[in-house]
Amino acid sequence: MPFFDGHNDVLIRLSDDQPQAWLTGHPATHLDLPRARRAGMFGGLFAIYTESQWGQPIDPAVAVAHTDCVIDRLNRMLDHANDSVRLVRNMAELDACVRAGAFAVVLHIEGAEAVAADLSNLDYWYERGVRSLGLTWSRTNAFAQGVGPGDTGEGLTAAGRDLVRQCNARGIAVDLSHLNDAGFRDVADLSQTPLIASHSNARPLCPNERNLTDDQLNAIRNSAGIVGMNFHAAFLRENGTPQSTSVRDIADHACYIVDRIGVDHVGLGSDFDGCDIPADLVDVTGLPRLADTLRDRGASQADLDLFNWKNWRRVLQATWK
Ligand code: ZN
């Protein structure tokens, strides 16, 4: 069964001097190429994330240097891949990649600090292959505010609104996960493309501000958008840990969202290698077990195809044009 995952972190974890580690097997991670193959995963979005102390703003120059460094590292890894992994930048490349049996990497930046506030380097990132952008991680920057406890922050800045328009114009996906509620509303009002929350769950089931309210889910449905299910234990259940959560909790969130806004708007958004996943999922090879659990809950093969990859393909196609 094929899987396309809307949010992975793993590429940035690879050490500089071992660009082939992800290709040959990297057991300390949730996801490497051999295990992705075993699971049936054929691609996904891969996030570049610049670390800072929790909630602290980040120096844009640091973010630029780090983002360049990760893309360089990815390119070195691709040089070792013998065409078994490809950076894909449009739908024709994604489809050709799948037909060739290669693994598709879509580049995502998580938190737009690497983008200059006047957007003067947005085309540079586009040229380097970035096709998806989260305005914030959970911190404040020139464009927007991230979620935090209480979540009472402001919406997008003028630069943030400009960034959404310019992403729309270029066909760069705008990711709402990590954005605060006011920012979510602003993007929903402004964006011309399907709304994407690449790795978030249902707030009514787990009251964490990283999860989505019913109103936000409705906005995603109304835009023909998608929610990628996040596997982080604390976003599955209040105070959840890998031991106290299971694949069934992921299925609970998926079923809640399907019941509320329909099967056309839910997909995978694991956050592999960026979070603590339920112990019984183990790693990417647990994806078929998630599919089996959803089948046990009544999902048809057509539903599973939408959930596992077709919804992501449709949304990316509508976004990239
Ligand atoms: Zn994230």
Side-chain angles (χ1 to χ4, degrees), residues 7 110 137 178 199 210 271:
H7 195 96
E110 179 158 36
W137 186 70
H178 287 286
H199 57 310
R210 273 284 284 101
D271 208 3

mmCIF file of all heavy atoms in Angstrom, residues 7 110 137 178 199 210 271, ligand 1:
data_model
loop_
_atom_site.group_PDB
_atom_site.id
_atom_site.type_symbol
_atom_site.label_atom_id
_atom_site.label_comp_id
_atom_site.label_asym_id
_atom_site.label_seq_id
_atom_site.Cartn_x
_atom_site.Cartn_y
_atom_site.Cartn_z
ATOM 1 N N HIS A 7 4.753 15.394 6.508
ATOM 2 C CA HIS A 7 5.700 16.139 7.337
ATOM 3 C C HIS A 7 6.699 15.220 8.025
ATOM 4 O O HIS A 7 6.353 14.496 8.948
ATOM 5 C CB HIS A 7 4.970 16.970 8.397
ATOM 6 C CG HIS A 7 5.861 18.004 9.016
ATOM 7 N ND1 HIS A 7 5.896 19.308 8.583
ATOM 8 C CD2 HIS A 7 6.781 17.914 9.999
ATOM 9 C CE1 HIS A 7 6.789 19.982 9.288
ATOM 10 N NE2 HIS A 7 7.346 19.165 10.160
ATOM 11 N N GLU A 110 10.272 24.950 7.837
ATOM 12 C CA GLU A 110 9.381 25.063 9.002
ATOM 13 C C GLU A 110 9.781 26.307 9.802
ATOM 14 O O GLU A 110 10.751 26.291 10.555
ATOM 15 C CB GLU A 110 9.496 23.801 9.857
ATOM 16 C CG GLU A 110 8.609 23.847 11.095
ATOM 17 C CD GLU A 110 8.301 22.465 11.625
ATOM 18 O OE1 GLU A 110 9.168 21.598 11.558
ATOM 19 O OE2 GLU A 110 7.172 22.266 12.128
ATOM 20 N N TRP A 137 7.514 28.427 13.155
ATOM 21 C CA TRP A 137 7.493 27.323 14.090
ATOM 22 C C TRP A 137 6.817 27.935 15.325
ATOM 23 O O TRP A 137 6.215 29.000 15.220
ATOM 24 C CB TRP A 137 8.942 26.843 14.344
ATOM 25 C CG TRP A 137 8.968 25.602 15.192
ATOM 26 C CD1 TRP A 137 8.568 24.337 14.818
ATOM 27 C CD2 TRP A 137 9.378 25.515 16.549
ATOM 28 N NE1 TRP A 137 8.705 23.480 15.867
ATOM 29 C CE2 TRP A 137 9.198 24.186 16.946
ATOM 30 C CE3 TRP A 137 9.866 26.443 17.472
ATOM 31 C CZ2 TRP A 137 9.490 23.744 18.237
ATOM 32 C CZ3 TRP A 137 10.165 26.009 18.747
ATOM 33 C CH2 TRP A 137 9.977 24.671 19.118
ATOM 34 N N HIS A 178 1.549 25.035 13.580
ATOM 35 C CA HIS A 178 2.408 25.907 14.412
ATOM 36 C C HIS A 178 1.955 27.364 14.420
ATOM 37 O O HIS A 178 2.466 28.161 15.216
ATOM 38 C CB HIS A 178 3.883 25.877 13.992
ATOM 39 C CG HIS A 178 4.603 24.625 14.346
ATOM 40 N ND1 HIS A 178 4.987 24.321 15.637
ATOM 41 C CD2 HIS A 178 5.005 23.571 13.583
ATOM 42 C CE1 HIS A 178 5.609 23.148 15.642
ATOM 43 N NE2 HIS A 178 5.621 22.664 14.413
ATOM 44 N N HIS A 199 0.875 18.961 9.956
ATOM 45 C CA HIS A 199 1.039 18.003 11.070
ATOM 46 C C HIS A 199 0.350 18.545 12.316
ATOM 47 O O HIS A 199 0.956 19.143 13.175
ATOM 48 C CB HIS A 199 2.510 17.649 11.303
ATOM 49 C CG HIS A 199 3.431 18.800 11.588
ATOM 50 N ND1 HIS A 199 3.480 19.931 10.815
ATOM 51 C CD2 HIS A 199 4.354 18.986 12.561
ATOM 52 C CE1 HIS A 199 4.393 20.768 11.306
ATOM 53 N NE2 HIS A 199 4.930 20.214 12.376
ATOM 54 N N ARG A 210 -1.556 23.216 19.515
ATOM 55 C CA ARG A 210 -1.024 22.761 18.219
ATOM 56 C C ARG A 210 -2.080 22.008 17.407
ATOM 57 O O ARG A 210 -1.892 21.757 16.221
ATOM 58 C CB ARG A 210 0.204 21.872 18.448
ATOM 59 C CG ARG A 210 1.505 22.615 18.569
ATOM 60 C CD ARG A 210 2.048 23.123 17.224
ATOM 61 N NE ARG A 210 2.635 22.043 16.447
ATOM 62 C CZ ARG A 210 2.053 21.416 15.439
ATOM 63 N NH1 ARG A 210 0.837 21.772 15.042
ATOM 64 N NH2 ARG A 210 2.672 20.465 14.800
ATOM 65 N N ASP A 271 5.339 13.819 11.394
ATOM 66 C CA ASP A 271 6.416 14.477 12.151
ATOM 67 C C ASP A 271 7.469 13.449 12.593
ATOM 68 O O ASP A 271 8.084 13.588 13.661
ATOM 69 C CB ASP A 271 5.904 15.259 13.367
ATOM 70 C CG ASP A 271 6.828 16.422 13.720
ATOM 71 O OD1 ASP A 271 7.820 16.655 12.989
ATOM 72 O OD2 ASP A 271 6.580 17.094 14.731
HETATM 73 ZN ZN ZN B 1 6.519 20.954 13.482
#
